[in-house]
Amino acid sequence: MSDYVSVAEARNMEGLRLVLSPGVPGPWTEGIKGIFDVKKIPYVRAKQDIGGDYSDLLDWTAQAAAPIAAWNDEWPRISWIDQLNLAERLVPEPKLVPDDIAERTLMLGLCNELLGQNGLVWCRRLMVMQPTMIDPDSQPEEVRNFLTFFATKYHYDAAQAEGAAARVVSILNALSAQLAAQKTKGSKYLIGDQLTALDIYWSTAAAILDPLPHNMCPMPDNFREFYSTVGPDIEAALDTKLLAHRDFIYENYLTLPLLM
Ligand SMILES: N[C@@H](CCC(=O)N[C@@H](CS)C(=O)NCC(=O)O)C(=O)O
């Protein structure tokens, strides 16, 4: 599974292809890998280098972010929710989106809090860029260039960055409350009584708050520092039970060490 084709090669293939950015445990990327892996759906991996030449990806998908899920000649799925729906359609079991409407709406709402625009991962990305955007000279040149590039690419917004930590805290509080409520019902999962996409997405998103140790989750040192520098408010809100839940999901359903 560790071989990669190019984006241009993937575009011309049939079947399922995932465009991934290997080397870093990106929450969106690890999340969709987790969804397809739990369903045992085989796929071809295509490599998009972070900060590399995006022209083939742009030409194919009209945008330049990974991950992408492409099935045959259908339109490539660029957003987490379309990727999840594609996975559910291709291999319905194990079901990762509940049938029950109350469970389903709660689950998708919480997934959106993690992965949607202005969600937890989005806000953490703003927080990573913020020191450079406030004072570019505070950073070494390489970091400055890298983060300035991403700030432009992802439309950095100073006001949104200002509120990002508080937003992450509110999302963590909602997840903690949900986990505690589930525990009182005797469930080991965040929704209902079986694994859902939310358990997977929480576990993979947690990398951008408190990454697993290097032997399980290898990544460049600068990314480890970006990912784990969360500040006091998030540190205080990061419930150890949520992290224990992440460990439980990785140990029982996902691949360790992470395959990148
Ligand atoms: N398409 C995703 C978002 C994907 C995304 O923003 N990916 C970023 C993660 S930081 C990425 O590809 N970064 C690497 C790059 O731009 O080279 C969604 O909205 O569901």
Side-chain angles (χ1 to χ4, degrees):
M1 284 285 277
S2 55
D3 287 344
Y4 288 87
V5 301
S6 69
V7 170
E9 284 168 326
R11 184 177 184 173
N12 291 319
M13 292 173 136
E14 299 212 319
L16 183 65
R17 294 89 80 207
L18 298 188
V19 180
L20 308 167
S21 299
V24 173
W28 284 287
T29 296
E30 293 307 313
I32 191 58
K33 279 163 63 186
I35 299 288
F36 282 100
D37 291 348
V38 161
K39 285 174 170 288
K40 299 195 170 32
I41 307 177
Y43 52 84
V44 168
R45 294 169 170 238
K47 181 175 176 182
Q48 171 60 56
D49 282 324
I50 296 178
D53 176 0
Y54 295 101
S55 50
D56 286 337
L57 190 61
L58 203 53
D59 190 48
W60 183 17
T61 67
Q63 59 87 62
I68 300 297
W71 172 245
N72 290 337
D73 59 356
E74 293 184 14
W75 51 280
R77 268 62 172 182
I78 63 174
S79 147
W80 68 270
I81 191 162
D82 292 331
Q83 294 164 0
L84 174 60
N85 284 327
L86 176 67
E88 287 289 285
R89 188 190 104 201
L90 294 182
V91 175
E93 298 293 337
K95 198 184 284 295
L96 295 176
V97 177
D99 279 334
D100 178 83
I101 178 114
E103 289 182 356
R104 186 167 70 245
T105 50
L106 179 59
M107 193 210 74
L108 289 172
L110 288 170
C111 286
N112 193 56
E113 292 303 311
L114 289 174
L115 299 183
Q117 199 159 326
N118 217 11
L120 182 146
V121 176
W122 182 282
C123 287
R124 284 288 299 125
R125 185 165 65 192
L126 290 171
M127 290 176 69
V128 167
M129 296 164 183
Q130 194 183 35
T132 305
M133 298 312 283
I134 289 175
D135 180 8
D137 293 333
S138 66
Q139 308 295 327
E141 190 183 356
E142 203 187 331
V143 172
R144 181 169 64 232
N145 291 345
F146 184 73
L147 291 181
T148 308
F149 167 80
F150 278 104
T152 307
K153 182 171 177 183
Y154 294 110
H155 310 290
Y156 178 83
D157 176 319
Q160 222 177 43
E162 207 49 55
R167 187 127 178 156
V168 171
V169 166
S170 70
I171 297 168
L172 287 173
N173 288 343
L175 284 170
S176 285
Q178 178 62 17
L179 189 65
Q182 287 290 100
K183 202 172 173 183
T184 61
K185 291 184 197 161
S187 174
K188 292 189 288 190
Y189 303 96
L190 277 164
I191 300 283
D193 55 10
Q194 62 187 56
L195 182 79
T196 68
L198 181 60
D199 296 298
I200 296 173
Y201 285 141
W202 157 248
S203 304
T204 52
I208 205 160
L209 300 163
D210 184 5
L212 288 164
H214 193 79
N215 62 332
M216 290 189 243
C217 180
M219 68 172 108
D221 289 346
N222 58 353
F223 264 88
R224 184 165 287 278
E225 198 180 323
F226 295 150
Y227 274 26
S228 29
T229 308
V230 295
D233 294 347
I234 295 179
E235 239 164 64
L238 195 48
D239 183 353
T240 52
K241 295 194 186 74
L242 277 177
L243 292 174
H245 186 64
R246 179 267 315 264
D247 296 344
F248 163 69
I249 297 298
Y250 262 104
E251 278 157 21
N252 289 281
Y253 297 98
L254 303 175
T255 306
L256 280 176
L258 271 72
L259 253 188
M260 280 184 269

